[in-house]
Amino acid sequence: MIFSLPTFLTIGAILFALGFYNVLVRKNTISILMGIEMILNGAAINFAAFAFFTKAVGGGVMVLFIITLAALETAVALAIILSIFWINKTTFIDQASSMHD
Amino acid sequence: MKEIILIILAVITLGSAIFVSFSRNMIYSAFTLLLTFSGVAGLFSLLGADFIAGVQLLIYVGGIMILIIFAVMLTQNISEGKKNNLYRYPLTGLILSLGFLSIWIDILWSIPWETINQPYTPMSYRLGDSFLTENLFPFEMISVLLLVGLIGAVSIVRIAQSKEQVDVSRGTDTMEVN
């Protein structure tokens, strides 16, 4: 059976793993933010799959909360990133090291 | 028929996610993430969450990705060339994420899920009902949180702009205009 619960959970898991790779490996802060968005979407696919395959409407409620909070967090994170860019003149995360020894 | 649509949407979503992760050009990653989110919206609509698919397209594709593309365009240097999304230690990252992924897939496919095979019913009626009866308090709290977040985001930018030594210019731009 292709149209079943583990298929959708696998899709969510692969999205999560790819977003996780993005967060670990990238040097650009905006790329790290894109990785975080992919992680949140993977989790949202999981919630929506559980809401469909077991008749629980709480999954759909959680997906709406995830989307709302992701929008909010992206706005705040981009404000911070732009502020750091105005000071450092670059967005690479290994050059924001003025507090380093 | 549902299986074919599911396979096509999964290939679109995961293929563009792989392209986002392994691309060295920032603009390519940002625009391909748009395609990923549209694929995720399609998967939501396959799962009966039609309202959620619409909200995903409105907010993620039409809000968050536009913000990210604006931020990318404001913070890149035109004269720097095309390779501005580099990564370091890719092998360690691949080993870690593929290790986690294999553990999760192994667990997922070996659990006997007890699913209810229902026909396709859209979820918007039950969602609206639960937001007004059972989940009313989280709904109101999300509104308060949105207000706080908006004020916070604007105030961060205003603090950064009001300092005298911060120059709101486009970085080290050395483009010559003939």
Side-chain angles (χ1 to χ4, degrees), chain B residues 20-42:
Chain B
V20 168
S21 305
F22 293 104
S23 156
R24 289 194 166 211
N25 190 339
M26 189 68 191
I27 307 265
Y28 286 177
S29 307
F31 278 97
T32 315
L33 196 60
L34 268 178
L35 187 61
T36 308
F37 289 156
S38 310
V40 169

Side-chain angles (χ1 to χ4, degrees), chain B residues 7 42 47 58 73 78 99 123 129 139 144 146 174:
Chain B
I7 290 176
L47 285 170
L58 269 177
M73 289 196 215
I78 292 182
M123 215 198 298
D129 218 10
F139 178 60
V144 174
L146 274 173
T174 59

